[in-house]
């Protein structure tokens, strides 16, 4: 039965969670049980000592059921014409009661004998010898057939899994299904599998059964995510844009600690100027997610229809908060700082240097020779950070730039004697350029570091953003050596955007409820923090009695009483994320625990974090298809975006520096070139 064991490896379907106690966890539903044997019954849907799994794929369930039932019936050779009759009991390599069974074995082997006539005769020793020979023969035949059946199943299963993986790749990346017919694609897939060829799915497969399987699996995944919203709460992220046809479109993403999911997209062109209609749209989305589940809506813009709705939203929706993504707000801060006279002038001069070096192959090669193959431009996943990351890189390469332009190799180039080249040399030698560049970096890099910190965080940042922004301001103040005339204009820009767009009562409450900050020596609760906490209690908790309980339990938290006294130790605070800390140490205070977890589980980031491609939504929201094709495209959109969101955790990194430099970026070319016809 080795082949049977190879067909499905139980460790592919379950994970050992406690080796000492033999506890394992189902990979599909998350249920814990004792041992892998029970896991097999759990997967097969066989009731007994364990409840059946409700989320296991049908093909996996059927395969395990067949395997266990076959094992329960006994030796699989029973299925080969009932070779071992009830009269024979086989033990190890020998058999008993051979006289009663030889006749049937002989008939089975010859298939031509008249077994019922009793025409077969022989001595007991001959019968025993003949029985042993035929048992050996039939065993080999049975083992060979069994091995073949299992290998065939295994091969079919591998092919099935391979086709699903190929389909998933097509769906996630939004690749045209006709690519599957490309000989080059087929050669690539087969080359990766060595001698074993893979059956490439057809376009019909990708549109049919594979898509259907993916939709069902994704629905189960989304269902599990939805179940977590009741305890952790969730945030609705808005991703709005205008397409090439001038349509105003928006996608809705629901974010929670268990992961983000794509909800749907809408064309709002018909009522983009109607705040009441837009509010009704958002009310419908909140109803769809669950009024009691939604904690906040995170917009991706401070202007346009989102800006109009945001001004009135919290007056009309009494239980849900409105804020703008921290990425978009800091981008706006950097943009406004970049318009200040001293910053605008220095950024234009820096562009002159990058355009010259990256615009001429000879100069770029020379620069890379002097810098160890590095580039001068620092592309960023966050467009607003790129100018300042690049300026920071220019300042870091100051010594190498001066050495290059003073070198023998530079003087041999044609650019050394040209006006353009001389202008760049003079700029690099200008002391005021470097001093002003450093001033610009003092005003902006602390904000860029906030973007890096939030982008690379492995836990929700709503409990940290209040303190993080305050620290960024203090860093800017220190960089300017506390000279108010220099740092105050920067502070005014930050405060204006913080007060009008970014700040939410959730941030103040998160700061207060974050034990790593609250129990620190420099915690300070100003009126803004106190008001934010009170506002959250009133808006998020409707029951007056529960509000009173939370207020009483906050006193216990404030004075580190009860379980909070153990949790306030530094090693315990640093051991968990803020929400996890409350799940461990807030058990005695269930009302406050639920309130704190729902706040600390929210995000500060918007939909731009996930960089979803919008083309499929645009296609889905275009009329003209028959109902069948529209349904198929709707399923494909659902799978496409949710696969991207599901895998976003693997792709997102802490570093916001990108790998690719856009060849048409304004830091490389003066303007986008005209299209040649």
């Amino acid at each position: 039965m080795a082949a049977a064991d190879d067909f499905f490896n139980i460790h592919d379907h379950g994970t050992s969670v406690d080796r000492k106690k033999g506890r394992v966890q189902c990979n599909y539903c998350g249920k814990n049980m004792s041992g892998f044997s029970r896991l097999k019954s759990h997967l097969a849907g066989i009731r007994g000592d364990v409840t059946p799994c409700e989320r296991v794929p049908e093909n996996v369930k059927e395969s395990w059921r067949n395997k266990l039932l076959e094992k329960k019936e006994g030796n699989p050779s029973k299925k080969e014409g009932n070779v071992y009759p009830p009269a024979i009991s086989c033990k190890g390599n020998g058999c008993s009661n051979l006289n009663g069974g030889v006749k049937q074995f002989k008939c089975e082997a010859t298939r031509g004998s008249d077994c019922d006539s009793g025409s077969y005769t022989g001595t007991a020793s001959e019968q025993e010898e003949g029985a042993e020979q035929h048992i050996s023969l039939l065993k080999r035949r049975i083992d060979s057939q069994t091995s073949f059946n299992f290998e065939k199943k295994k091969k079919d299963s591998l092919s099935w899994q391979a086709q699903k993986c190929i389909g998933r790749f097509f769906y996630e990346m939004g690749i045209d299904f006709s690519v599957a017919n490309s000989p080059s694609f087929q050669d690539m897939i087969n080359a990766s599998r060595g001698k074993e060829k893979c059956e490439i799915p057809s376009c019909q497969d990708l549109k049919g059964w594979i898509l259907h399987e993916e939709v069902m699996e994704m629905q189960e995944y989304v269902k599990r995510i939805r179940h977590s919203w009741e305890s952790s709460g969730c945030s609705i992220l808005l991703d709005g844009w205008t397409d090439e046809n001038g349509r105003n479109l928006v996608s809705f993403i629901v974010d929670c600690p268990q992961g983000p999911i794509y909800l749907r997209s809408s064309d709002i062109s018909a009522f983009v100027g109607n705040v009441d209609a837009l509010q009704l749209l958002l009310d419908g989305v909140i109803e769809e997610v669950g009024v009691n589940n939604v904690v906040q809506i995170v917009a991706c813009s401070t202007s346009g229809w989102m800006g109009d709705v945001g001004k009135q939203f919290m007056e009309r929706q009494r239980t849900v908060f409105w804020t703008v993504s921290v990425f978009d707000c800091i981008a706006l801060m950097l943009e406004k700082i970049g318009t200040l006279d001293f910053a605008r002038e220095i950024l234009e001069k820096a562009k002159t240097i990058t355009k010259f070096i990256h615009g001429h192959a000879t100069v770029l090669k020379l620069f890379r020779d002097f810098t160890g193959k590095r580039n001068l431009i620092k592309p960023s996943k966050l467009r607003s950070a790129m100018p300042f990351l690049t300026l920071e890189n220019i300042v870091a390469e100051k010594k190498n730039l001066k050495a290059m332009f003073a070198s023998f190799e530079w003087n041999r180039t044609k650019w050394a004697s040209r006006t353009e080249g001389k202008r760049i040399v003079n700029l690099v030698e200008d002391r005021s350029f470097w001093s002003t560049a450093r001033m610009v970096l003092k005003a902006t890099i602390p904000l860029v570091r906030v973007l890096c910190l939030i982008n690379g965080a492995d836990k929700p940042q709503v409990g940290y953003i209040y303190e993080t922004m305050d620290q960024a301001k203090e860093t800017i103040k220190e960089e300017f050596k506390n000279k108010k005339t220099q740092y105050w204009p920067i502070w005014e820009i930050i405060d204006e955007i913080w007060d009008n767009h970014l700040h939410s009562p959730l941030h103040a409450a998160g700061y207060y409820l974050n034990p790593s900050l609250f129990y620190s020596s420099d915690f300070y609760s100003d009126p803004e923090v106190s008001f934010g906490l009170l506002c959250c209690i009133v808006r998020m908790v409707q029951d007056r009695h529960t509000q009173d309980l939370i207020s009483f339990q906050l006193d216990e938290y404030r004075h580190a009483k009860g379980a909070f006294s153990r949790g306030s130790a530094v090693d315990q605070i640093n051991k968990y994320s803020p929400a996890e800390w409350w799940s461990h140490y807030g058990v005695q205070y269930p009302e406050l625990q639920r309130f704190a977890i729902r706040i600390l589980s929210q995000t500060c980031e918007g939909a731009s974090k996930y960089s979803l491609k919008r083309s499929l939504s645009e296609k889905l929201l275009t009329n003209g298809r028959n109902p069948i094709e529209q349904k198929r495209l709707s399923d494909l959109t659902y799978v496409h975006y949710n696969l991207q969101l599901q895998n976003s955790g693997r792709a997102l990194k802490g570093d916001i520096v990108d790998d690719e430099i856009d060849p048409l970026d304004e830091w490389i070319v003066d303007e986008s070139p005209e299209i040649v016809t």
Side-chain angles (χ1 to χ4, degrees):
M1 296 298 292
D5 294 334
D6 290 340
F7 174 46
F8 270 121
N9 186 347
I10 189 61
H11 294 279
D12 292 338
H13 307 274
T15 305
S16 176
V17 293
D18 191 334
R19 295 185 181 275
K20 291 184 178 179
K21 296 183 180 180
R23 302 289 293 177
V24 298
Q25 184 181 69
C26 174
N27 288 350
Y28 300 102
C29 68
K31 179 179 177 62
N32 289 345
M33 61 205 74
S34 299
F36 284 99
S37 295
R38 290 192 178 185
L39 176 61
K40 293 177 183 178
S41 299
H42 174 70
L43 295 172
I46 298 176
R47 294 185 178 274
D49 295 332
V50 67
T51 57
C53 181
E54 298 179 353
R55 297 173 181 171
V56 61
E58 281 300 320
N59 66 302
V60 176
K61 178 179 179 180
E62 188 66 22
S63 298
W64 279 110
R65 174 180 283 274
N66 292 340
K67 181 179 178 182
L68 293 182
L69 291 178
E70 184 179 73
K71 184 175 181 180
K72 186 175 181 181
E73 290 172 4
N75 193 302
S77 56
K78 287 183 179 180
K79 297 181 180 180
E80 295 290 320
N82 194 25
V83 174
Y84 295 114
I88 299 178
S89 174
C90 291
K91 299 179 181 179
N93 293 326
C95 292
S96 60
N97 196 17
L98 289 173
N99 290 340
V102 170
K103 182 176 180 179
Q104 186 162 344
F105 279 122
K106 197 72 172 178
C107 292
E108 178 69 25
T110 60
R111 297 186 183 273
S113 302
D114 185 4
C115 298
D116 295 330
S117 67
S119 60
Y120 173 78
T121 59
T123 63
S125 62
E126 289 175 333
Q127 291 177 352
E128 183 173 326
E129 181 180 356
E132 290 176 351
Q133 290 175 349
H134 287 293
I135 288 172
S136 177
L137 172 66
L138 290 169
K139 274 189 175 182
R140 287 197 299 270
R141 190 184 77 184
I142 292 163
D143 288 343
S144 175
Q145 182 64 37
T146 303
S147 176
F148 171 80
N149 289 338
F150 277 113
E151 284 301 318
K152 185 175 183 299
K153 288 181 180 180
K154 183 178 179 183
K155 183 177 180 181
D156 291 342
S157 175
L158 287 174
S159 177
W160 178 82
Q161 290 286 0
Q163 290 188 66
K164 283 196 64 179
C165 287
I166 292 172
R168 192 175 295 118
F169 171 70
F170 271 76
Y171 305 144
E172 180 180 356
M173 303 310 297
I175 298 173
D176 192 292
F177 293 165
S178 63
V179 172
N181 296 327
S182 165
S184 297
F185 176 76
Q186 295 175 9
D187 291 343
M188 178 187 72
I189 296 297
N190 288 325
S192 67
R193 295 176 64 88
K195 295 181 180 179
E196 184 180 359
K197 300 299 182 184
C198 174
E199 183 179 350
I200 307 295
S202 66
C203 288
Q204 290 305 315
D205 291 331
L206 293 170
K207 292 179 180 178
W209 71 267
I210 300 179
L211 179 58
H212 178 67
E213 289 274 339
E214 283 300 317
V215 169
M216 290 195 300
E217 289 186 16
M218 189 55 69
Q219 286 173 341
E220 288 298 316
Y221 169 77
V222 169
K223 185 178 179 181
R224 293 197 297 273
I225 298 293
R226 281 178 171 269
H227 283 164
S228 71
W229 293 346
E230 195 278 332
S231 58
S232 69
C234 60
S235 301
I236 297 175
L237 315 183
L238 306 182
D239 183 20
W241 73 99
T242 303
D243 71 357
E244 293 180 351
N245 297 320
R247 297 184 300 171
N248 288 280
L249 310 178
V250 60
S251 290
F252 302 96
I253 298 170
V254 185
D255 189 274
C256 72
Q258 293 299 314
I261 66 166
Y262 167 79
L263 197 64
R264 58 186 170 92
S265 300
S266 297
D267 184 347
I268 59 171
S269 304
F271 45 93
V272 72
N274 187 335
V275 175
D276 292 333
L278 292 168
Q279 181 69 51
L280 288 175
L281 171 68
L282 293 177
D283 289 345
V285 174
I286 292 172
E287 287 282 348
E288 185 177 345
V289 176
V291 174
N292 294 327
N293 296 330
V294 181
V295 176
Q296 65 173 346
I297 288 182
V298 183
C300 66
S301 176
T302 61
S303 59
W305 68 267
M306 289 191 194
D308 296 336
V309 173
K311 293 174 183 176
Q312 304 180 26
F313 180 84
M314 288 180 60
E315 296 177 5
R316 304 177 60 159
Q317 182 60 253
R318 304 300 299 176
T319 62
V320 181
F321 293 94
W322 178 280
T323 187
V324 181
S325 160
V326 64
F327 287 162
D328 295 283
C329 285
I330 292 182
L332 187 57
M333 293 175 190
L334 292 172
E335 181 183 331
K336 289 198 171 187
I337 293 172
T339 62
L340 298 177
D341 291 340
F342 77 99
R344 184 177 65 251
E345 181 182 352
I346 212 68
L347 289 174
E348 288 301 322
K349 289 180 177 180
K351 279 184 193 176
T352 305
I353 296 174
T354 59
K355 289 175 184 177
F356 178 76
I357 292 178
H358 279 266
H360 302 98
T362 304
V363 183
L364 180 59
K365 181 181 181 305
L366 185 59
F367 174 78
R368 287 175 174 167
D369 289 341
F370 273 81
T371 59
K373 307 300 181 183
R374 292 192 294 272
N375 289 315
L376 196 57
I377 291 176
K378 282 285 186 182
S380 174
K381 298 169 187 174
L382 304 174
R383 184 69 187 84
S384 60
M386 179 182 165
F388 306 102
L389 288 172
T390 299
L391 182 61
E392 183 183 39
N393 195 45
I394 291 173
V395 172
E397 298 290 357
K398 173 184 175 182
K399 184 177 179 180
N400 289 325
L401 283 168
K402 285 191 170 186
M404 181 188 79
F405 287 121
S407 69
F408 172 75
E409 291 84 356
W410 163 256
N411 289 317
R412 289 178 56 190
T413 66
K414 62 182 180 180
W415 302 106
S417 58
R418 292 189 178 182
T419 303
E420 184 180 0
K422 291 179 179 180
R423 185 169 67 249
I424 299 299
V425 172
N426 291 335
L427 181 56
V428 170
E429 294 296 334
D430 184 2
R431 290 184 179 181
S432 65
F433 168 77
W434 298 108
S435 61
T436 311
R438 282 190 289 269
M439 184 177 293
V440 174
L441 295 178
K442 289 176 182 180
T444 57
I445 290 301
L447 294 173
V448 173
R449 296 291 177 256
V450 172
L451 294 177
C452 294
L453 178 67
I454 294 175
N455 188 65
D458 58 355
K459 51 193 172 187
Q461 290 294 294
V462 77
Y464 295 93
I465 187 62
Y466 193 93
E467 174 71 6
T468 301
M469 290 302 301
D470 192 54
Q471 287 181 353
K473 287 177 61 179
E474 289 301 318
T475 301
I476 292 170
K477 180 180 177 181
E478 292 171 7
E479 288 288 342
F480 285 108
K481 301 188 183 303
N482 298 326
K483 294 180 180 178
K484 191 171 183 178
T485 55
Q486 293 183 344
Y487 73 77
W488 191 253
I490 312 301
W491 272 29
E492 285 185 322
I493 290 173
I494 295 173
D495 288 341
E496 187 269 328
I497 296 170
W498 169 264
D499 293 336
N500 295 327
H501 304 295
L502 176 56
H503 178 59
S504 164
L506 289 171
H507 301 152
Y511 171 67
Y512 193 94
L513 295 169
N514 183 345
S516 65
L517 299 176
F518 184 80
Y519 290 122
S520 65
S521 59
D522 57 352
F523 176 80
Y524 176 68
S525 179
D526 58 19
E528 185 178 55
V529 173
S530 300
F531 175 78
L533 180 63
L534 179 62
C535 179
C536 287
I537 294 174
V538 172
R539 292 181 69 92
M540 295 177 64
V541 182
Q542 302 301 304
D543 181 66
R544 289 291 183 88
H545 177 64
T546 305
Q547 291 178 4
D548 293 339
L549 285 174
I550 290 174
S551 297
F552 170 77
Q553 292 164 5
L554 276 170
D555 284 335
E556 301 288 294
Y557 171 68
R558 187 178 299 113
H559 297 101
K561 295 181 179 179
F564 295 134
S565 64
R566 299 189 301 273
S568 60
V570 175
D571 60 329
Q572 296 303 308
I573 290 174
N574 296 331
K575 188 176 180 181
Y576 305 106
S577 71
E580 290 171 341
W581 185 91
W582 277 95
S583 68
H584 281 81
Y585 295 103
V587 178
Q588 295 179 5
Y589 315 96
E591 293 80 14
L592 178 58
Q593 181 191 48
R594 172 180 166 80
F595 173 71
I597 288 175
R598 287 172 67 83
I599 289 175
L600 295 168
S601 297
Q602 305 315 309
T603 182
C604 295
E605 300 149 285
S608 60
K609 173 182 179 179
Y610 302 109
S611 301
L612 296 182
K613 297 178 181 178
R614 295 159 169 171
S615 56
L616 206 54
S617 289
E618 294 175 1
K619 190 175 180 181
L620 177 66
L621 296 171
T622 301
N623 297 324
R625 295 177 198 86
N626 65 47
I628 295 176
E629 287 301 319
Q630 186 68 12
K631 175 63 169 60
R632 180 181 291 125
L633 183 58
S634 177
D635 288 344
L636 181 59
T637 304
Y638 174 79
V639 170
H640 168 72
Y641 287 125
N642 278 307
L643 277 174
Q644 289 200 329
L645 292 169
Q646 187 179 27
N647 294 329
S648 61
R650 302 182 192 176
L652 294 174
K653 300 177 182 178
D655 193 356
I656 63 172
V657 175
D658 207 350
D659 298 325
E660 296 291 331
I661 299 176
D662 183 358
L664 299 181
D665 193 274
E666 62 178 347
W667 283 72
I668 294 180
V669 295
D670 289 323
E671 57 184 15
S672 298
E674 296 181 3
I675 299 175
V676 179
T677 57

